[in-house]
Amino acid sequence: MPDIAWLNGEFTSLAAAKVSINDRGYVFADGIYEVICTREGRPFLMEAHLRRFENSAAGLNLPLPDNYRDWPDIIAAGLEKAGYPETMIYIQMTRGVMPRRHDVPHPLTPQVVMTFRPKPRVDPAALASGQAAITVEEIRWSHCFLKTIALLPNVLMKQQARDQGCYEAIFVADDGEVHEGTAANVFFVRDGILYTPELGNYLLPGITRQYIIDQAPAIGLQVVSKRCLLPEMLAADEVFVTSTTVDAMPIVKIDNQPIGDGKPGPVTRKVAALFQ
Ligand code: PDD
């Protein structure tokens, strides 16, 4: 089964889905997105993802399309057509196709594309051994709570991590406040308690982050969401990063310093088990 796309109301093969070079996503990165994965074939936490999408749309003053209410049905149809055991659904909405100018003519028709591809497999060896991260300067704008497609700082910093043989880059402000990874939220463990940076301008409200916060009491864990500083994270017993595509990935080294004993720890394993 080829990967498929849903573009402005119609399913096509992914290869056949084309958008204009005048799309404001292409020209200005003027758009938002969501990534939803299935679990046992069903979209996991879809309602929460769609609520966040609505919030991102409102933040960019983007109208939701008329068919927005039908999206759960469209997603279900896409999953059935794609037929993968587990699917990654990517949804992108831009301000639409119009000649390039910075201000926005009205009315406008947002352009929506969804793609349905196999959920990327997380390498079990990477989970078992844990991964290394670097910390990087916070060079992003102050609206990181909106899930926009303007991801150039994230892209550049992720590549900087990769060039140094590391898995992830973690944005840290000048004053030492830990924000998040390029495509993941951060948690650390100290004396059995989980800590995670509190929501704010420099953090995406991760759906996986919130799921862990919600589920933690049921597995006997306390989570503290607060302003977190780099020295606390470096001195932690365990660190892990979370996202829809990876769930919870242990981070065992940051800026070449081992975290705890340099191996994935028991609390990270307990959290990861929530997703199995
Ligand atoms: N990214 N922070 C950033 C900057 C992210 O891009 C993501 C996810 C997260 C984690 O959010 P969630 O748990 O809702 O996936 C945090 C997606 C997966 C991506 O860009 O592919």
Side-chain angles (χ1 to χ4, degrees), residues 33-35 49 52 88 90 140 144 147 151 154 171 180-186 203-210 242-247:
Y33 76 108
E34 272 300 324
V35 179
H49 281 280
R52 184 173 65 185
M88 180 174 73
Y90 175 81
R140 300 175 300 164
C144 298
K147 200 162 172 61
L151 289 173
N154 306 53
F171 289 106
E180 62 178 341
T182 63
N185 292 113
V186 175
L203 201 76
L204 185 77
I207 304 302
T208 319
R209 172 189 179 278
Q210 190 58 46
T242 65
S243 76
T244 295
T245 40
V246 177
D247 300 333

Side-chain angles (χ1 to χ4, degrees), residues 32 53-54 56-66 68 71 93-96 104-112:
I32 58 173
F53 186 85
E54 290 163 20
S56 300
L60 266 62
N61 206 13
L62 269 169
L64 292 168
D66 292 343
Y68 181 67
W71 283 15
M93 182 167 85
T94 68
R95 209 175 297 273
V104 183
H106 284 282
L108 61 90
T109 311
Q111 172 140 271
V112 179

